[in-house]
Amino acid sequence: MSQRQSFFRKVSYFVTIAILLVPLSWLSRPATSASEQQPGDPGGHLAQLRSEHQLSQANLGQIDPTSETLKLATLGFRGVAVAILWTKVDEYKKHEDWARLESTLQQIMTLMPNFVHVWRYQAWNVSYNVSVEFDDYRDRYHYVKQGLKLLVKGAAYNAKEPNLLADIGWFTTQKIGRSDEKSEFRRLFADDTDFHEYLSNYIDLDQTRGPNENKPDSWLAGRMWYLKAEKLVDDNEHITVGGVSPALFYEHSAKCQINFADTIQKDGFFGEVAERAWRRSAKLWKQYGDRTLELNDGRTFSLNDVRAKLQEIGELSEQLDALQPGLRLQMRAERTKDVPPDLLTAKKIKPDQRSALERDLAERAERLILVSPKDLAEQMDDSVRGEALAIADVMGQQARLLRKIQSDRGIVNYDAWAFRCLTEQSEHLLKGRQRLHEANVQYKKGRLDSDDPNRPGAQQLFEAGFRSWAAAFKEYPALYYDEHRCEDLLVAVDSYRRRVLDGGPLPKDFSLAELLRRSAKEPTRRRGSKKMTPKTGKTPEKTEQTTGKDAKTKPAKKDPAGK
Amino acid sequence: MEYVTTPPDFFPWLRESGLTFLLVVVGLAKISILFGYLVTAVRRGPVAALSITSKAIAGGVVDLVRISPRRVMALAWLAIKESIGRRVLVVFVIYALVLMFAGLILDPTLRETGRLYVGFVLNAMLYLMLALAWILSAFSLPNDLKQRTIYTIVTKPVRPSEIVLGRMIGFSAVGSMLLAVMALFSFLFVVRSLRHTHAVEAGSQTSLVTGHRHVIDKNQVGEEGGTTDRAHSHSHHVDDPSRGEMTGPSQGELIARVPIHGTLQFTDDKGQPKEKGTNVGKEWTYRSYIKGGSLAAATWRFSDVRAEDFCDAEGKTDSLPITMNLRVFRLHKGTIDRGVLGSIVLRNPDDPDLVSGMITFRAKEFQLDEIDIPRHLLSGKPGPDGRPMRLDLFDDLVSESGELDVQIQCEESQQYFGMAQEDVYLRSRDGSFAMNFIKGCLGIWLQMVIVLSLGVMFSTFLSGPVTMIATLGALVTGMFAGKISALVAGEYLGGGPIEAFVRIVTQRNLVSPLEVGMATTLIEMFDKAILFILWVILKLLPDFQSYSNIDQVAIGFNIPGMLSLQHLLSALAYLSVAMVVGLFFLRTREVAR
């Protein structure tokens, strides 16, 4: 190739590049903001796409010059650098080199500040996995905080990521409030004025103060972070809760208040303080139930919509029946003919007199006889069939929505928590809990028995507490089906028997005899508690299975304390 | 993680290493001469080849023997001027920028800031100096040869050995000057960055500075003053906490501990000697554990224990400082707000009846637990009168040969203590941190000089870019010598390079064996050949990691002077070989004759 050809080839390359730069420049021209004199320009197509998908750095969150510089310094090998650093973090963790681990984590975050999963994963790593490596609980608390701070920093870099805020709420509440060292962690958190000062840059600490000398409480602090996450989603149309169900995403803030109320009682705060906390819990739980939640298809609902939906479906059903009166009955009669006799026999037995097998058979019979709105509409005369099908279609949609609501209520255990908030405000329960707490305190002081009515001993307090609980059971019989609370109470009864009665039998007129009787009937459902017979309070040799009748009337199947 | 390199005894090391060095040098010389003779024999015939080879060897030897220091220095000066002309001072500007913006990367609120800062500056210096050495040495001679400026030198009465040595010395001088300035600035940067004081608040704690505060224990800090607790790896002096003044500057962060290590022996829960303690399921098996509330114990035997090594400023030895860095593994929570109870017993290895009483302690994990064992203590066994005897630690418990046994046990049932040999040591008087920092810089300097020499050596027979690749290859291989030697020793799963490649392509795991057959036999054969070549390369190239004492300086352990001397000698060995090889290769270049 001659020099001339080579020269022309190079020139052609430059010309091609220059020509290609023109459309590229046009496509990617930046947006300009509007001023009083002239309207803003949305920019080129690429700028508009960035804006639409919230991809620009300013949209994602804080712009950090260090981060940007380091990203550039890796010359496009940012991913490789992070991968190497990530393996180093694992190595440092294995070799218990915490100083380097923390330092390397910061380098990773600087290089990849907008990769949300990196923040979430490594914050969890520090708060949950690194912290437990330490023997001293103060060191553990330090690393729980380090993980939290990592998340807070991540939330600043990713200002539109509600799950990071929710994670901060989770760490603050669950790691501090539920771990093995929860009492130590909660005490450290309440006294950690430096951390309070740090948190006050992000949340209103005055709203987190609990009854313990008006110091911030971890449950309430966590609640503030959840509220921030909720506000972020509520205020921004484009921001969604991600892969989490809306019912689960929004439950935490109210749940924090419930856990706060529960915890302060364990910490020894009763009376008006506890009652107020439970009242607020009930109010927030109700507000949560009333909150409008959105499905992926844009339809909205609230957990408290069950009654309204049932009524709506009932009205539609009446409208459908009114189009051709008597058709449904006629169809049911025809279908009844095809139902096997043993199923029909079971169906004829009164519901409350059916055995478990009969109940099953009766339900099968009902399913065979049932006429769905669509079936009904299809069998109607031509003149009304169109309208009937339209109504049946609406009914189908409403029924699906109702099932979704009921499913979500089941997932978050809505009824059980509502029941808990209601009953815990009861004077009997408040007093019952207080007496049992005081009984334990007196026992630890060695004051088992006392004749002084003003300064009762552990025995008097235990018995007074059990009487209050018995009154609460009378006021709310459904409490018998609250496994969690019954179990706690059984532990208290066991403690009373061992500590006060020296392991002897419980008195014949024991106020919680009914609870013990039921406990002996269904001991397998109790988590780790000892099973006692009502008469002796000793472990029974044989147990009975839970009857279907009992199960049917239970308000909830799940342990309310479970997540 | 705490670790420290203990140097081997000097004279045995010198004897063994010197012998190996001589064997390798003689072997390489023989191979080179034979190779040179064969090549020449093919081209000129066997008789002429004999004469040419002899002349080449004789000429090289004469070159070496008749080196003129004056001419070498003149050439070194030329190399210095050339380096400055090539703007090597830019490296210093880059380093200044790194220090200026270090605050953006280094987080002073982390717990071990001293370690992070010292590690950062030393690593930054290391990588910059290695990069400088790499670039500076690779292009000098090839450029001179290419641009024919070498004629301005070779037309003068200089020997090839002087050209090679002059360049090595000249470039090293430039690098040394830069390193010295950088080291000075680094030292000042670290000391000034870490130096801070706190205000005393309410007499019981200090103000919050760089993410931490200190607790002042009033029982320990009276009106006459004392020190705060140790937080973030340092403490402060407080004059009188009730006056609410400022604390003194931070102390105990930039240190150079001088540890005296012993050899560790485990005994199991029945009191029988055991090579290792219990494995509690940790992935990293560096430490093993002893069971609490049993006869299980860890005993360190210390040698050469002398009272004068532990004396105070007045020359008196009232105690023996023992530093521990134990791990705790609990089978149950126990008392959460209290460390697990442990005990120390000191024993004379020669006389089992000379044993101290039990000294108890609460284990502190991930921090240095320093215990001063008083010199005068009661015996653990009754004396002739049935009462405990008064013992002098150094006179009674240290044997005549200077040995002392220190036994540690965990006293709480169902709890465990974890330890490795380096976790317990006697702490002699601390060395100077500044001196230790200089020793750390010496390690960097040695690595830089080796890279420079290798670069100059390669540049005598390779072009500039190829020299760069060859030097970089030697550098990278040397830096990963540990990992490569583990690969050669078969410590990695998945076989050698070819087998690993086959496993990646065929998506097989690392554990399952390949199918028996011709293909597998061939793969293993090639792998063995490659690994043998790697082994030879490893033996010839310097292990750069072994020269680096950065971690030791950063963690706060004194680098023994003997270790620095050993590094210096081994580096000199590489330099001499590089120079001789460079000389012979340069002699083969027509321009240098």
Side-chain angles (χ1 to χ4, degrees):
Chain A
M1 187 180 288
S2 68
Q3 278 197 345
R4 193 179 175 79
Q5 279 177 317
S6 170
F7 174 74
F8 279 123
R9 198 187 62 212
K10 282 170 189 164
V11 168
S12 69
Y13 286 160
F14 278 112
V15 170
T16 312
I17 290 168
I19 291 170
L20 283 172
L21 277 175
V22 174
L24 186 64
S25 148
W26 181 76
L27 281 169
S28 60
R29 72 183 192 281
T32 55
S33 52
S35 67
E36 286 180 7
Q37 285 77 26
Q38 58 183 41
D41 177 10
H45 187 63
L46 289 177
Q48 288 177 36
L49 279 174
R50 269 201 300 274
S51 169
E52 190 183 331
H53 295 286
Q54 307 273 313
L55 284 176
S56 77
Q57 186 63 58
N59 277 334
L60 292 169
Q62 184 187 330
I63 297 174
D64 180 5
T66 315
S67 171
E68 295 302 313
T69 311
L70 282 180
K71 276 194 266 180
L72 283 173
T74 52
L75 302 172
F77 287 95
R78 185 161 58 119
V80 178
V82 167
I84 292 169
L85 291 173
W86 196 283
T87 56
K88 277 189 174 292
V89 165
D90 285 343
E91 190 187 319
Y92 294 147
K93 192 175 145 210
K94 194 169 100 177
H95 292 171
E96 299 167 347
D97 193 346
W98 313 121
R100 279 187 176 164
L101 183 140
E102 280 192 86
S103 171
T104 312
L105 279 184
Q106 292 199 351
Q107 290 166 23
I108 292 177
M109 304 312 182
T110 309
L111 284 171
M112 261 190 191
N114 300 120
F115 195 166
V116 175
H117 288 286
V118 174
W119 293 98
R120 297 182 75 182
Y121 179 93
Q122 292 298 0
W124 183 279
N125 201 13
V126 173
S127 279
Y128 280 76
N129 301 334
V130 172
S131 74
V132 294
E133 294 289 337
F134 288 80
D135 188 51
D136 192 324
Y137 69 89
R138 283 161 293 220
D139 288 325
R140 294 183 180 197
Y141 175 71
H142 170 81
Y143 278 94
V144 170
K145 278 196 306 181
Q146 290 300 93
L148 265 169
K149 286 179 179 174
L150 212 57
L151 278 177
V152 172
K153 202 171 167 188
Y157 277 110
N158 300 279
K160 300 194 174 177
E161 183 50 63
N163 285 320
L164 275 175
L165 296 169
D167 278 355
I168 305 173
W170 179 268
F171 283 34
T172 312
T173 52
Q174 302 296 322
K175 188 62 191 166
I176 293 177
R178 283 214 190 282
S179 56
D180 281 353
E181 313 84 350
K182 54 182 172 289
S183 52
E184 285 80 15
F185 279 1
R186 277 178 54 75
R187 182 168 49 75
L188 286 173
F189 180 84
D191 294 332
D192 195 345
T193 49
D194 297 333
F195 194 46
H196 299 161
E197 199 177 327
Y198 170 80
L199 287 176
S200 65
N201 295 318
Y202 307 96
I203 56 173
D204 182 2
L205 270 190
D206 287 337
Q207 300 217 30
T208 68
R209 301 196 182 276
N212 178 17
E213 298 175 22
N214 212 26
K215 291 173 182 171
D217 184 280
S218 58
W219 287 107
L220 297 182
R223 180 169 178 268
M224 297 307 292
W225 285 104
Y226 282 124
L227 288 177
K228 268 174 87 89
E230 289 175 12
K231 190 171 183 310
L232 184 63
V233 177
D234 293 345
D235 292 352
N236 294 277
E237 200 184 328
H238 293 295
I239 297 177
T240 62
V241 298
V244 189
S245 154
L248 284 173
F249 179 80
Y250 285 104
E251 74 160 342
H252 294 298
S253 58
K255 206 78 151 292
C256 285
Q257 175 65 32
I258 294 172
N259 284 319
F260 164 72
D262 184 37
T263 308
I264 59 170
Q265 285 184 315
K266 286 173 185 157
D267 290 346
F269 296 97
F270 298 98
E272 199 188 329
V273 173
E275 196 261 334
R276 202 166 50 235
W278 280 112
R279 200 168 55 233
R280 186 166 158 74
S281 302
K283 184 182 161 192
L284 293 177
W285 195 245
K286 166 84 171 46
Q287 283 176 1
Y288 162 62
D290 291 339
R291 173 183 271 279
T292 304
L293 306 173
E294 192 174 344
L295 291 172
N296 288 338
D297 59 9
R299 285 181 299 154
T300 57
F301 67 98
S302 72
L303 295 179
N304 284 340
D305 274 352
V306 173
R307 189 169 293 174
K309 289 293 167 206
L310 281 171
Q311 193 176 345
E312 210 172 314
I313 292 168
E315 285 168 4
L316 286 167
S317 182
E318 282 172 15
Q319 282 180 33
L320 192 63
D321 286 340
L323 290 175
Q324 193 167 335
L327 180 61
R328 186 190 292 272
L329 286 175
Q330 187 188 333
M331 287 176 72
R332 279 180 69 88
E334 281 169 13
R335 290 184 179 198
T336 307
K337 287 176 195 165
D338 299 332
V339 178
D342 55 333
L343 269 63
L344 278 179
T345 312
K347 191 175 179 300
K348 283 173 187 165
I349 301 168
K350 284 185 179 176
D352 56 347
Q353 290 173 359
R354 288 172 191 157
S355 68
L357 176 66
E358 287 163 348
R359 196 172 64 244
D360 183 42
L361 293 173
E363 281 172 6
R364 280 171 60 193
E366 187 55 42
R367 278 200 295 276
L368 290 171
I369 296 167
L370 187 75
V371 179
S372 73
K374 195 180 171 195
D375 291 349
L376 187 64
E378 281 172 350
Q379 293 301 316
M380 285 192 176
D381 294 340
D382 294 347
S383 58
V384 291
R385 192 180 297 137
E387 189 184 350
L389 282 170
I391 292 173
D393 187 42
V394 176
M395 280 181 74
Q397 287 176 25
Q398 296 297 342
R400 281 194 291 279
L401 193 56
L402 181 63
R403 280 199 293 278
K404 167 70 181 162
I405 294 171
Q406 285 171 329
S407 160
D408 278 0
R409 281 172 73 98
I411 288 169
V412 301
N413 224 1
Y414 186 82
D415 295 323
W417 287 109
F419 182 65
R420 174 117 199 238
C421 294
L422 171 73
T423 50
E424 290 288 353
Q425 296 173 59
S426 146
E427 195 185 336
H428 299 304
L429 246 176
L430 287 166
K431 271 190 182 163
R433 285 192 183 281
Q434 184 170 2
R435 299 286 177 267
L436 293 184
H437 178 82
E438 287 168 356
N440 280 316
V441 172
Q442 293 304 322
Y443 173 78
K444 282 175 188 163
K445 284 181 182 172
R447 292 188 70 247
L448 268 183
D449 197 5
S450 167
D451 294 332
D452 183 354
N454 295 322
R455 291 184 66 238
Q459 181 173 358
Q460 289 76 34
L461 286 164
F462 265 124
E463 286 161 2
F466 293 144
R467 282 196 297 276
S468 294
W469 267 95
F473 277 113
K474 202 171 176 186
E475 189 181 359
Y476 297 107
L479 265 178
Y480 283 118
Y481 304 107
D482 188 331
E483 291 171 19
H484 183 69
R485 283 186 284 180
C486 287
E487 192 176 306
D488 286 350
L489 197 52
L490 286 172
V491 170
V493 173
D494 187 48
S495 166
Y496 165 71
R497 196 176 61 78
R498 282 186 294 105
R499 291 171 171 181
V500 178
L501 305 178
D502 289 331
L506 293 164
K508 284 183 181 172
D509 58 345
F510 186 58
S511 48
L512 293 175
E514 174 63 13
L515 174 72
L516 296 180
R517 190 185 67 75
R518 286 171 180 259
S519 159
K521 274 180 78 178
E522 47 173 336
T524 51
R525 297 181 69 83
R526 304 279 180 237
R527 170 172 48 99
S529 64
K530 290 187 178 172
K531 307 132 198 171
M532 290 176 283
T533 59
K535 283 184 184 174
T536 63
K538 288 180 180 172
T539 311
E541 286 179 3
K542 287 183 180 177
T543 57
E544 293 175 29
Q545 293 298 315
T546 309
T547 63
K549 188 176 154 187
D550 285 343
K552 198 178 178 186
T553 49
K554 283 181 181 177
K557 288 181 181 174
K558 288 189 178 177
D559 177 358
K563 276 294 305 172
Chain B
M1 187 172 68
E2 297 275 340
Y3 47 86
V4 60
T5 312
T6 311
D9 290 337
F10 182 72
F11 289 108
W13 170 83
L14 188 63
R15 196 169 51 244
E16 193 182 330
S17 305
L19 197 65
T20 312
F21 174 72
L22 281 176
L23 282 174
V24 171
V25 166
V26 171
L28 278 177
K30 280 180 182 173
I31 292 169
S32 306
I33 291 167
L34 186 66
F35 181 74
Y37 172 76
L38 288 174
V39 171
T40 319
V42 170
R43 294 168 65 182
R44 302 276 186 91
V47 181
L50 199 63
S51 160
I52 293 168
T53 310
S54 311
K55 276 183 187 170
I57 295 167
V61 172
V62 169
D63 261 0
L64 279 174
V65 174
R66 292 193 177 172
I67 283 179
S68 155
R70 195 173 53 85
R71 288 198 296 267
V72 169
M73 283 306 129
L75 285 165
W77 178 242
L78 207 62
I80 292 171
K81 286 205 283 191
E82 181 199 327
S83 307
I84 293 167
R86 287 169 64 188
R87 297 188 179 88
V88 291
L89 296 180
V90 169
V91 171
F92 182 71
V93 176
I94 295 173
Y95 188 66
L97 284 171
V98 169
L99 282 194
M100 280 163 69
F101 293 100
L104 296 174
I105 304 162
L106 297 171
D107 183 356
T109 64
L110 295 180
R111 279 189 161 183
E112 295 180 50
T113 36
R115 187 178 159 197
L116 289 177
Y117 273 69
V118 174
F120 173 78
V121 293
L122 287 177
N123 274 310
M125 282 199 290
L126 172 69
Y127 291 118
L128 276 173
M129 293 318 295
L130 291 183
L132 172 79
W134 175 47
I135 295 165
L136 198 59
S137 60
F139 285 100
S140 174
L141 261 179
N143 277 354
D144 277 1
L145 291 167
K146 193 176 171 187
Q147 293 161 10
R148 301 179 194 282
T149 46
I150 192 85
Y151 289 113
T152 58
I153 297 168
V154 293
T155 48
K156 308 275 186 314
V158 288
R159 298 177 181 280
S161 58
E162 289 161 357
I163 295 175
V164 174
L165 192 59
R167 278 178 199 257
M168 283 181 180
I169 291 175
F171 294 149
S172 299
V174 173
S176 308
M177 189 188 65
L178 276 172
L179 184 64
V181 178
M182 279 156 75
L184 179 67
F185 277 87
S186 301
F187 184 78
L188 293 175
F189 170 77
V190 169
V191 172
R192 285 185 64 82
S193 301
L194 298 180
R195 191 184 169 90
H196 66 278
T197 58
H198 298 257
V200 177
E201 287 181 351
S204 61
Q205 66 171 16
T206 67
S207 60
L208 185 75
V209 176
T210 57
H212 73 279
R213 60 172 84 233
H214 298 269
V215 175
I216 301 169
D217 186 351
K218 282 187 176 172
N219 296 323
Q220 292 184 3
V221 183
E223 287 183 7
E224 67 280 6
T227 49
T228 64
D229 72 334
R230 196 173 163 83
H232 277 56
S233 312
H234 68 274
S235 58
H236 294 264
H237 180 79
V238 185
D239 277 338
D240 179 2
S242 60
R243 295 219 309 263
E245 294 175 343
M246 298 295 286
T247 65
S250 50
Q251 56 191 30
E253 196 163 22
L254 299 176
I255 50 173
R257 286 169 283 170
V258 180
I260 298 174
H261 287 287
T263 50
L264 174 60
Q265 171 69 57
F266 285 99
T267 45
D268 65 13
D269 51 1
K270 294 182 183 69
Q272 297 302 312
K274 213 177 163 189
E275 194 184 338
K276 288 225 123 192
T278 306
N279 182 344
V280 295
K282 297 237 177 194
E283 193 184 352
W284 193 37
T285 52
Y286 172 65
R287 293 187 172 85
S288 59
Y289 289 71
I290 52 171
K291 190 176 175 185
S294 74
L295 292 175
T299 307
W300 280 261
R301 176 160 294 179
F302 296 98
S303 304
D304 204 19
V305 179
R306 293 174 304 184
E308 55 267 31
D309 287 338
F310 306 99
C311 62
D312 57 18
E314 294 163 8
K316 279 179 17 187
T317 306
D318 293 330
S319 62
L320 177 72
I322 293 183
T323 304
M324 300 185 295
N325 179 24
L326 302 178
R327 295 289 179 271
V328 176
F329 184 81
R330 296 186 188 228
L331 279 189
H332 61 89
K333 256 191 345 181
T335 313
I336 200 166
D337 56 353
R338 229 170 36 194
V340 174
L341 188 70
S343 69
I344 301 174
V345 169
L346 278 64
R347 188 175 283 123
N348 186 325
D350 292 347
D351 186 350
D353 287 335
L354 286 173
V355 55
S356 76
M358 192 187 281
I359 300 155
T360 56
F361 65 92
R362 294 265 169 206
K364 296 172 188 165
E365 214 183 11
F366 297 112
Q367 52 181 300
L368 298 178
D369 197 358
E370 292 172 341
I371 296 176
D372 280 340
I373 310 283
R375 177 168 188 157
H376 300 288
L377 64 179
L378 292 175
S379 67
K381 288 189 177 176
D385 58 352
R387 294 161 64 183
M389 298 181 289
R390 281 183 66 80
L391 298 175
D392 183 295
L393 197 158
F394 293 99
D395 294 342
D396 300 323
L397 296 177
V398 176
S399 71
E400 283 181 16
S401 56
E403 291 186 327
L404 169 71
D405 279 356
V406 175
Q407 175 188 291
I408 290 181
Q409 283 184 295
C410 175
E411 295 297 329
E412 289 189 26
S413 177
Q414 303 295 304
Q415 316 290 27
Y416 289 76
F417 279 166
M419 62 274 292
Q421 185 159 287
E422 284 76 23
D423 283 341
V424 173
Y425 53 87
L426 308 179
R427 187 170 171 183
S428 186
R429 268 169 306 169
D430 283 359
S432 151
F433 173 74
M435 200 59 214
N436 210 33
F437 192 83
I438 291 171
K439 288 180 198 165
C441 293
L442 178 70
I444 297 172
W445 183 79
L446 289 176
Q447 292 177 71
M448 178 197 75
V449 171
I450 293 174
V451 173
L452 276 170
S453 310
L454 288 176
V456 172
M457 181 192 83
F458 286 129
S459 71
T460 55
F461 61 98
L462 298 172
S463 67
V466 181
T467 300
M468 275 191 89
I469 292 168
T471 315
L472 184 66
L475 181 60
V476 172
T477 312
M479 289 189 113
F480 292 96
K483 286 196 183 340
I484 297 173
S485 77
L487 176 71
V488 171
E491 288 173 21
Y492 291 131
L493 292 172
I498 309 259
E499 187 181 328
F501 178 75
V502 169
R503 283 179 189 275
I504 289 170
V505 172
T506 55
Q507 298 187 345
R508 289 185 206 197
N509 64 45
L510 296 174
V511 187
S512 59
L514 300 180
E515 293 85 4
V516 179
M518 178 63 86
T520 304
T521 311
L522 280 174
I523 288 169
E524 285 174 352
M525 215 167 71
F526 277 112
D527 271 342
K528 274 184 187 165
I530 294 171
L531 291 177
F532 176 73
I533 294 166
L534 276 177
W535 179 82
V536 172
I537 292 171
L538 271 183
K539 291 291 166 194
L540 292 178
L541 289 177
D543 176 3
F544 282 94
Q545 272 183 332
S546 70
Y547 293 99
S548 182
N549 304 308
I550 291 174
D551 282 335
Q552 204 160 329
V553 179
I555 291 169
F557 278 114
N558 185 56
I559 301 168
M562 206 51 85
L563 185 68
S564 297
L565 181 63
Q566 287 172 6
H567 286 168
L568 191 64
L569 288 176
S570 70
L572 274 175
Y574 278 109
L575 298 187
S576 57
V577 171
M579 197 199 78
V580 173
V581 174
L583 152 72
F584 277 98
F585 273 113
L586 192 61
R587 281 178 61 81
T588 61
R589 305 291 286 251
E590 197 177 339
V591 71
R593 281 181 195 162

